[in-house]
Amino acid sequence: MNALLTIKNLKVSFNSTRVVNNLSCTLYKGETFALVGESGSGKSITALSIIGLLPTNATISAETLRLHTTDLLDCSEQEMCSLRGNNIGFIFQDPMSSLNPVMTIGKQIAEVLAKHVQLNGKQAQQRVIELLRQVEMPDPEQRYNSYPHQLSGGQRQRVMIAIALAGEPELLIADEPTTALDVTIQAQILNLLKKIQRERGMTLWLISHDLALVATIADRIAVMQHGEIVDTHTTNDFFNHATHPYTQQLLNALPTMERLLTHPKEERATLLEISHFSCSYPIKKGLLQRTIGVVRAVNEVSFSIQQGKTLALVGESGCGKTTLGKSLVNLIPHTTGKITFEGQEINTRNKNHIKKLRTSMQLIFQDPFSAMNPRMLISDIITEGLESANVPLNERQQRIEHLLTLVDLPIDAALRYPHEFSGGQRQRICIARALAVNPKLLICDEPTSALDVSVQAQIIALLKTLQQHNGISYLFITHDLALVAEIADDVAVMYQGQIIEIGTMQDVLNHPQQEYTKKLLAASPSLKHH
C-alpha cells in the first residue's frame, strides 16, 4: 500500500503541558483510518496539528510529518493554505462556531470553489447546489441563501461536509462528522463519503467516539489515550481480539439492548402533558418581507411524561425535535396547543410565572459551545442558575464543586473558560448548569452526542441515578437508538413535525408499526453491532 500521510513521534505542547506524546501512525491511500478515544485525549489536536491550525502558543515537533514527500513542518503559511482544501479537507467538530454567521452557506461553499477549483459565478452556484444535494440537504436551491442559524444542527454539519469536499481533497479528515445527525442521514453521509472515497481514491481519517459507527466504515482503528496511540487493529480484530485494557474499557461502555427484555413497566402520575401543540414559522419574501406562507415545524403534537420517567424523542434532524424542546420552556413561541405541568395549564400564565417555572423545567442544548458565553468563567456560567434559584451566597461555591464532580470534571474547571475544554467536556458543563436549579423535568437535546462512549456511559448512569434518587423526569431527544434502549421508558418517533408512533420502549423497538420507525432501526449502527 502507498503511504499518503506519515507521522512519526509527533509531540504537541501548550506552554509546558504536553497533550500529544510520541504519536506515530501511517495513513495509506484509499483507506479509512479511525482514531477513537475519550474526549480530551488529543484526537482533534493531532488532526489540527497536521494542517497547521493550532493556536500560536502550541509547540509542534516530529521526527516525520509528511504528506507524500512534502514535509508539513517546513511548509510556509502560504503553502499550507494551498494544501488545505486542495490536498487536505477538514470537517470540523462544531459546525456552528466554524461557519461564518453573517454569510449565507452558499457563499461560504463558493469561497472554497473560487480559491481551489477556480469556479465563480453561475458555475460556482450550480456546483454548490450539487454539493448540497450530495450531502442530502433538503431544498438545496432554497438553502443556498440560508444563514447558519436558520439550519438545524444536522443541516449545519452537512454544510461543513460540503465545504470539505468542495476542493476534492485526497485526504479528508472528518472530526466527528456525524455527531449531530440522526441515524438515517448518518448512514447516508457515511455511504456518501465511502462512495466519494472509492471514486477518487481518497483517504478518509475519521475521528469519532462512536465505536459502533466506526465498525461500519473503518479499515483500521487506532485507540488514543492521554495523548498517545495505545492500540491499533484492523476493524475485525479490534472488536473480536483487542486485549489492551483501555480498548476493553471502551468496548464495555457501549450501550446494550438488555433493557429491551428486563425493563419493568410501572404507571406513575403525569408530570407534563402537551396536546395539539404546534409551532409555525412565517415564510417571508421580497423587499418588504411579506409573509407568503407558513412552515409548521411542529404540527399538532400530543404526548405526556410521567414523574420519574423518560420519554425519548427520536427522528431526523430538522423534523422539529429541538423546536419542540425549546418551545416547552418558552424559548420559542408556540402557535397552538396546551401545556399542562403538574396538573396546571402553564401556557396561559404570565411571563413572570413562566420564568419561575424554568427552575422546574431545564434544557440541555444540542450545541454546548454556542450555548455558553465565551467570556464567562465556568463558575459564573453555573452561578447564573444558582442566582435564579436564590441559592445563598455561602453555599454556591460548594454547590458548584458538587455539580462539577457529578459530571466528572475537576473542581479547578470552575476557573477556566469554555474554549479551554473539549467538545465532550463542554457538554458536561452544560449538564451541570441545567442541574444547578434541581429541575423536575430535564429536556435533554442530544446531551451525549459529543461524548465518547466511556463518558457517555457515565452521563447516562448519572442521569439514571438522579432519576432514581430525585425522581427527575426526562424528555430525551436523541438519534442514537441504542441510548433509547438504555435510558427510555417510552419512545415517540417524530417525522416532519408530527409524532407518527408512540409507545413503550419495548413495543416501539421490538415491534415498530410505522415504516419510518423500521427505517430508523435498520439504519442504527449501534443496534446492528449489538
Side-chain angles (χ1 to χ4, degrees):
M1 297 176 69
N2 294 327
L4 175 68
L5 179 69
T6 305
I7 307 170
K8 189 172 181 182
N9 293 333
L10 173 67
K11 301 182 183 72
V12 181
S13 300
F14 289 94
N15 300 323
S16 59
T17 304
R18 179 73 59 82
V19 292
V20 177
N21 188 30
N22 290 328
L23 183 142
S24 299
C25 63
T26 303
L27 276 66
Y28 298 98
K29 187 171 181 179
E31 78 161 340
T32 299
F33 176 78
L35 187 62
V36 300
E38 290 186 349
S39 57
S41 64
K43 305 187 302 294
S44 296
I45 293 295
T46 300
L48 289 170
S49 68
I50 304 304
I51 57 175
L53 287 183
L54 289 179
T56 53
N57 65 331
T59 303
I60 306 171
S61 65
E63 189 176 325
T64 305
L65 185 58
R66 189 171 61 238
L67 181 73
H68 289 309
T69 57
T70 302
D71 190 333
L72 297 178
L73 290 180
D74 282 345
C75 288
S76 64
E77 179 58 26
Q78 186 176 0
E79 290 170 329
M80 286 303 300
C81 283
S82 179
L83 285 172
R84 298 182 202 122
N86 268 335
N87 300 90
I88 305 174
F90 202 106
I91 302 170
F92 292 93
Q93 182 177 356
D94 185 358
M96 189 61 181
S97 60
S98 299
L99 294 170
N100 189 329
V102 297
M103 282 180 68
T104 64
I105 63 168
K107 287 185 177 179
Q108 293 189 58
I109 301 172
E111 273 190 329
V112 182
L113 296 173
K115 181 171 181 61
H116 296 294
V117 193
Q118 285 72 55
L119 275 182
N120 291 285
K122 247 190 167 39
Q123 285 183 318
Q125 183 174 347
Q126 290 172 353
R127 177 60 179 153
V128 169
I129 292 171
E130 182 184 331
L131 285 165
L132 290 174
R133 191 173 286 116
Q134 280 184 344
V135 296
E136 304 293 336
M137 177 69 75
D139 301 318
E141 290 84 2
Q142 183 180 338
R143 291 301 185 189
Y144 181 91
N145 293 313
S146 295
Y147 291 89
H149 73 273
Q150 295 175 302
L151 306 179
S152 70
Q155 289 169 341
R156 287 195 290 266
Q157 190 64 284
R158 279 175 265 180
V159 173
M160 287 298 307
I161 294 170
I163 289 173
L165 293 174
E168 301 183 0
E170 55 184 337
L171 170 62
L172 179 61
I173 303 174
D175 190 358
E176 303 280 6
T178 60
T179 291
L181 304 183
D182 59 89
V183 289
T184 53
I185 303 301
Q186 175 177 283
Q188 293 171 19
I189 293 297
L190 291 178
N191 289 336
L192 169 67
L193 290 175
K194 290 298 285 184
K195 178 185 175 185
I196 294 172
Q197 183 183 36
R198 287 192 299 268
E199 290 173 350
R200 302 181 185 176
M202 183 179 69
T203 300
L204 178 61
W205 180 354
L206 180 66
I207 297 170
S208 179
H209 64 267
D210 190 336
L211 294 180
L213 178 144
V214 162
T216 67
I217 190 172
D219 300 307
R220 286 190 302 134
I221 301 173
V223 180
M224 196 166 183
Q225 183 185 29
H226 303 317
E228 299 180 13
I229 289 180
V230 297
D231 209 0
T232 305
H233 292 283
T234 63
T235 300
N236 184 63
D237 286 345
F238 180 85
F239 286 98
N240 295 316
H241 306 296
T243 57
H244 192 279
Y246 181 63
T247 304
Q248 286 295 317
Q249 179 186 331
L250 292 179
L251 292 172
N252 292 336
L254 284 168
T256 69
M257 301 297 109
E258 290 176 7
R259 288 179 85 248
L260 286 173
L261 302 173
T262 61
H263 184 58
K265 298 179 182 179
E266 179 189 353
E267 290 297 320
R268 296 182 185 174
T270 299
L271 177 70
L272 174 76
E273 184 174 7
I274 70 170
S275 58
H276 305 290
F277 194 84
S278 299
C279 299
S280 300
Y281 296 100
I283 302 173
K284 296 186 177 183
K285 195 173 183 180
L287 185 64
L288 299 177
Q289 290 291 285
R290 290 192 175 94
T291 301
I292 61 170
V294 172
V295 174
R296 282 186 173 268
V298 179
N299 188 13
E300 293 287 319
V301 164
S302 300
F303 62 77
S304 63
I305 301 176
Q306 296 178 16
Q307 290 179 359
K309 288 201 170 187
T310 301
L311 173 69
L313 187 63
V314 299
E316 290 184 351
S317 58
C319 74
K321 306 188 302 295
T322 297
T323 299
L324 174 59
K326 289 181 177 179
S327 290
L328 291 178
V329 292
N330 207 40
L331 292 179
I332 294 176
H334 68 280
T335 313
T336 60
K338 184 170 74 171
I339 309 173
T340 304
F341 188 78
E342 292 188 307
Q344 296 183 11
E345 189 175 339
I346 64 172
N347 52 314
T348 57
R349 300 300 180 93
N350 60 44
K351 289 183 179 179
N352 288 333
H353 183 79
I354 291 173
K355 189 175 180 181
K356 289 180 181 178
L357 273 170
R358 283 192 181 146
T359 59
S360 297
M361 300 169 62
Q362 283 288 299
L363 177 65
I364 300 171
F365 293 92
Q366 180 178 358
D367 185 350
F369 192 67
S370 61
M372 291 186 285
N373 189 329
R375 298 181 179 181
M376 289 177 66
L377 293 170
I378 302 309
S379 60
D380 296 329
I381 289 171
I382 298 175
T383 298
E384 283 187 318
L386 299 177
E387 287 176 349
S388 69
N390 298 317
V391 174
L393 277 171
N394 61 343
E395 295 179 14
R396 290 179 187 175
Q397 183 59 36
Q398 183 179 356
R399 179 71 177 152
I400 289 169
E401 292 177 1
H402 173 67
L403 288 165
L404 290 172
T405 303
L406 267 182
V407 296
D408 198 30
L409 285 172
I411 292 173
D412 63 6
L415 301 177
R416 293 157 64 186
Y417 290 92
H419 73 272
E420 298 180 72
F421 296 90
S422 69
Q425 290 168 329
R426 287 196 289 261
Q427 190 63 285
R428 280 177 267 174
I429 294 165
C430 287
I431 293 171
R433 177 176 62 179
L435 294 173
V437 293
N438 295 317
K440 295 178 182 177
L441 174 68
L442 201 56
I443 300 168
C444 308
D445 190 359
E446 302 279 6
T448 61
S449 63
L451 305 182
D452 58 88
V453 288
S454 57
V455 179
Q456 174 180 282
Q458 294 169 19
I459 293 298
I460 294 299
L462 167 64
L463 293 175
K464 289 161 75 171
T465 300
L466 288 168
Q467 191 170 61
Q468 291 166 3
H469 291 174
N470 304 336
I472 192 169
S473 301
Y474 301 120
L475 175 61
F476 197 88
I477 299 170
T478 184
H479 64 263
D480 190 336
L481 291 174
L483 283 183
V484 170
E486 190 80 15
I487 194 171
D489 299 287
D490 302 294
V491 180
V493 180
M494 200 166 183
Y495 180 65
Q496 294 184 349
Q498 295 181 307
I499 288 181
I500 61 168
E501 185 164 357
I502 190 167
T504 66
M505 180 265 293
Q506 293 94 335
D507 288 344
V508 173
L509 296 191
N510 283 326
H511 310 290
Q513 301 300 308
Q514 299 293 323
E515 286 302 317
Y516 177 69
T517 309
K518 295 175 183 176
K519 180 182 174 184
L520 287 178
L521 290 166
S524 172
S526 298
L527 292 175
K528 285 190 288 189
H529 177 67
H530 289 283

